[in-house]
Amino acid sequence: MKLKLSMYILFFVLLTGCGSTKINQFAKFSAAGFTYTEALDELVDEVADTAIDADTISLVKARKGLKTQKERGDEIIASTKRLKNQLNVLGDLKRHVFLLKKYFLTLGRLTESEFDEAIANNASALVTEIQNFSPKLRDADINGTNINQLVNPLTNAAIRKFRLDALNEHFTEERVKTIGLALETHEALLTLLAEKIRDDQEDILAFKETEEIDRPFRNKGDLPKKWMENRKAVLSNRISLASADNAVEAASSLKKAFLALVTTNSGEANIDDVFADINEILDLVDLVKSEEL
Amino acid sequence: MAPFEIRNLIRRRLRKIKKAMLATEFVFELENEPESVQTEIAKLFLSIHRAIMQLETKQLTVIRDKLKELEGDIVAGENELKQAFEKLDQIQQDLARATAFLQIVNRVISIAA
């Protein structure tokens, strides 16, 4: 009987030990999700900033076509309204990103082991106190191992099982569908945002190239003081913007990692790819920030 | 082709036209044209810019609305995860309380003995 009991204990500890791999995968996924939302949040901010600059430049360019005071007055009011409308939608998207960030944060907390040691220590202390009531309990053992020595591994195994059960219960078919659909929609969002920021920035740079580089060169007289540096900056930044396409992969790789995690038992989710793609978003944000007018 | 894809296609084509109209070659050549042509082109440029803005905003709105539909379940999921996490916290606190109580009982017993 004693042998059977110890085998059960060993089996339970080993079984939940396998579960810890899955919990670690969820921990990595939630970390990737959280980092993704942080990067996306920054990207949305930068898209909004660049949209304002690009809209301003377009208005300046179009002003020549507005001959009367009324036409110019009507256009500036309509343009500002259009821009505010777009900025409001971007604001709504930021709120959604914040919500998703909170979700990944909470998912991550459930996979963290910050309580495990405290719970195991408290359980061990509790057993010690119970054993103090009776020498029989104090000397109780299973296969020569004092009960108190088994408390720690058993408690840790029980906590792991609790976490795994909570995660499995959480990721119902319906929820997997929701998160999958959200990440799929993010693919479209990221594609649109990356294209928009690239195109807006290209408009800004094209305007700068004409007005600050080409026009002064064509005109008579001395060139502006920083003409050479400006020319180099504008031209090299235009080349770097071509890499914006890589950023759109982040949502796609996050979705792939998520589906690998919840639909296979191995949990072979390639989280490293997700982090690499998230870095592309941050690179794009940094690039646009460095080019600001 | 889905409406979102059609908007994507139109937006990308308009962006190409806008890009060409912002190029130095185009700008300098236009300056040699009569005032009426320059005004007409400036108006056309504005129309293209407006159309791009409207298409972008429409596409962003479609995405926002899709994501909003999913938010209820995401919030419910977060609450569920929070509850599981709070259960762990509760277990830790309960164990600490029970241990503290038994420590006192053991001390009372040892003093009484």
Side-chain angles (χ1 to χ4, degrees), chain A residues 242-260:
Chain A
S243 64
D245 295 342
N246 301 334
V248 305
E249 288 299 317
S252 166
S253 53
L254 192 63
K255 190 185 85 180
K256 276 180 205 154
F258 172 69
L259 291 177

Side-chain angles (χ1 to χ4, degrees), chain A residues 48-245:
Chain A
D49 265 10
T50 315
I52 297 168
D53 289 339
D55 188 63
T56 304
I57 276 169
S58 297
L59 268 183
V60 170
K61 290 280 296 176
R63 195 167 179 267
K64 207 169 193 164
L66 307 166
K67 287 292 170 197
T68 66
Q69 194 173 29
K70 186 175 178 336
E71 271 183 316
R72 289 191 293 273
D74 288 349
E75 186 48 45
I76 187 70
I77 291 167
S79 282
T80 307
K81 201 173 163 187
R82 269 196 307 272
L83 183 62
K84 279 183 180 172
N85 195 13
Q86 190 171 88
L87 295 176
N88 281 338
V89 182
L90 287 172
D92 289 343
L93 286 165
K94 260 180 85 75
R95 273 187 288 279
H96 166 81
V97 172
F98 177 69
L99 209 117
L100 203 60
K101 192 190 286 185
K102 271 175 56 191
Y103 172 80
F104 282 123
L105 191 68
T106 313
L107 180 65
R109 285 184 78 192
L110 189 63
T111 59
E112 280 167 8
S113 53
E114 61 176 287
F115 283 151
D116 293 12
E117 206 184 316
I119 293 176
N121 289 341
N122 282 339
S124 185
L126 183 67
V127 171
T128 307
E129 290 305 325
I130 292 169
Q131 285 179 323
N132 283 341
F133 279 111
S134 132
K136 256 189 184 175
L137 279 173
R138 194 164 42 235
D139 300 332
D141 70 279
I142 295 172
N143 274 6
T145 310
N146 190 284
I147 281 180
N148 206 349
Q149 283 177 284
L150 294 169
V151 173
N152 250 311
L154 270 175
T155 313
N156 278 326
I159 300 166
R160 272 202 301 272
K161 188 173 177 335
F162 174 86
R163 286 184 202 285
L164 199 61
D165 287 350
L167 288 167
N168 285 333
E169 276 168 32
H170 174 71
F171 286 109
T172 56
E173 206 177 311
E174 196 64 26
R175 181 142 300 119
V176 168
K177 218 168 126 186
T178 303
I179 305 290
L181 197 59
L183 293 174
E184 198 177 294
T185 312
H186 273 251
E187 284 182 65
L189 173 65
L190 211 51
T191 304
L192 183 59
L193 292 177
E195 282 184 11
K196 180 169 167 49
I197 200 167
R198 182 198 57 205
D199 292 341
D200 281 346
Q201 193 65 18
E202 274 179 355
D203 287 357
I204 295 166
L205 289 171
F207 182 81
K208 281 179 90 173
E209 193 176 325
T210 305
E211 301 306 325
E212 294 174 22
I213 313 294
D214 300 341
R215 194 180 295 286
F217 187 83
R218 189 183 67 158
N219 291 348
K220 271 185 180 173
D222 292 337
L223 287 171
K225 239 183 175 181
K226 289 195 169 177
W227 187 85
M228 279 168 73
E229 290 99 305
N230 287 344
R231 183 166 189 262
K232 191 178 179 187
V234 167
L235 294 178
S236 56
N237 286 338
R238 290 190 79 163
I239 294 165
S240 315
L241 270 177
S243 64
D245 295 342

